Amino acid sequence: MKVITLNDENEIGKVIGDYFCTLLRENPAAVLGLATGASPIPTYQRMISRFNAGDVSFAKVRTFNLDEYCNLPATHPQSYRSFMHAQLFAQVDIAQNNTHFLDGNAMDEAAECSRFDALIEQLGGVDLQLLGIGRNGHIGFNEPADAFTQGSFKVQLAPSTLEANSGYFIDENMPTHAMTMGVGAILRAKEILLVATGAAKAEAVRAMIQGEITPQLPASALQNHPKVTIYLDPAAASLLK
């Protein structure tokens, strides 16, 4: 793992956004793995800024999102499809049929997971994967468990995840389950960038980087990947030795 500490989330977003844009200038049809939540928003803002400046095109890009809630309409404002549309896709020239999500409403969940994983493989795998990390060390929605997950699957969200995300569902109950790429699928990406900011992530960051590799802290599996860069602000890095 390479660990880089920068001043704040905006500086991190600029650096990572530029890194994505450099990849797209070299490989306009790259396959990108994308994340949702607060952490990647500055990165997406930088990518939009570079697009508006005429520096980069997303016309041939293919994307796969890490996860999606179950039993939530795709058009719901808090679906991750809606998030990506608002935060990135609607503001660049990406072809909507090149953006791929797990269907959290699929009747046959196993078939849906197999379809999603097979499509990633068919397109040659993810070239660059963006991640955040949960307070309990989850990546995607891979919660602490007895074994590392492999392919995409349906997961019951942990109480800490429900608590952290419930603020987005002010007037309604938050979904209790999601579909997510498994840890094994995430590790098949050719390169991984992870963002963590704020003191609330400091313990998970310390355990991910300097703790033992354990499915009780899914992000620790990133220690086994040959090309991972962790971007932190000073608060998130505060417990590192």
Side-chain angles (χ1 to χ4, degrees), residues 23-32 51 56-64 92-100 123 127:
L23 170 64
L24 297 185
R25 288 169 66 89
E26 297 172 352
N27 179 10
V31 178
L32 306 182
F51 168 75
V56 67
S57 171
F58 296 79
K60 297 180 180 178
V61 169
R62 287 77 54 82
T63 70
F64 289 87
V92 297
D93 60 341
I94 195 166
Q96 293 303 308
N97 61 354
N98 282 342
T99 64
H100 304 288
L123 294 179
D127 294 303

Side-chain angles (χ1 to χ4, degrees), residues 111-166:
E112 170 60 11
C113 291
S114 296
R115 177 201 67 81
F116 188 78
D117 293 344
L119 184 55
I120 295 174
E121 185 175 352
Q122 178 184 329
L123 294 179
V126 172
D127 294 303
L128 183 59
Q129 176 69 59
L130 181 62
L131 297 176
I133 182 173
R135 296 176 189 178
N136 64 359
H138 73 221
I139 47 175
F141 272 136
N142 290 277
E143 303 285 21
D146 293 331
F148 286 115
T149 55
Q150 294 303 315
S152 297
F153 69 105
K154 182 178 180 179
V155 60
Q156 181 172 347
L157 301 178
S160 60
T161 301
L162 295 172
E163 179 183 0
N165 290 9
S166 61

Side-chain angles (χ1 to χ4, degrees), residues 13-189:
K14 179 178 182 296
V15 170
I16 297 180
D18 286 344
Y19 196 92
F20 270 93
C21 291
T22 297
L23 170 64
L24 297 185
R25 288 169 66 89
E26 297 172 352
N27 179 10
V31 178
L32 306 182
L34 301 180
T36 53
S39 297
I41 289 177
T43 294
Y44 298 151
Q45 291 173 339
R46 179 62 174 177
M47 293 162 74
I48 292 165
S49 176
R50 291 287 302 273
F51 168 75
N52 289 335
D55 295 336
V56 67
S57 171
F58 296 79
K60 297 180 180 178
V61 169
R62 287 77 54 82
T63 70
F64 289 87
N65 263 75
L66 280 167
D67 40 33
E68 181 58 281
Y69 289 118
C70 292
N71 303 317
L72 194 71
T75 55
H76 190 283
Q78 297 306 326
S79 78
Y80 287 159
R81 184 182 292 272
S82 292
F83 175 96
M84 291 305 308
H85 182 78
Q87 298 296 336
L88 181 63
F89 296 157
Q91 301 182 65
V92 297
D93 60 341
I94 195 166
Q96 293 303 308
N97 61 354
N98 282 342
T99 64
H100 304 288
F101 294 81
L102 284 157
D103 180 0
N105 300 302
M107 295 296 292
D108 188 334
E109 296 155 357
E112 170 60 11
C113 291
S114 296
R115 177 201 67 81
F116 188 78
D117 293 344
L119 184 55
I120 295 174
E121 185 175 352
Q122 178 184 329
L123 294 179
V126 172
D127 294 303
L128 183 59
Q129 176 69 59
L130 181 62
L131 297 176
I133 182 173
R135 296 176 189 178
N136 64 359
H138 73 221
I139 47 175
F141 272 136
N142 290 277
E143 303 285 21
D146 293 331
F148 286 115
T149 55
Q150 294 303 315
S152 297
F153 69 105
K154 182 178 180 179
V155 60
Q156 181 172 347
L157 301 178
S160 60
T161 301
L162 295 172
E163 179 183 0
N165 290 9
S166 61
Y168 296 108
F169 295 85
I170 297 173
D171 297 321
E172 58 188 315
N173 292 328
M174 178 183 163
T176 58
H177 291 75
M179 304 275 272
T180 186
M181 290 174 62
V183 172
I186 292 170
L187 292 179
R188 285 193 286 274

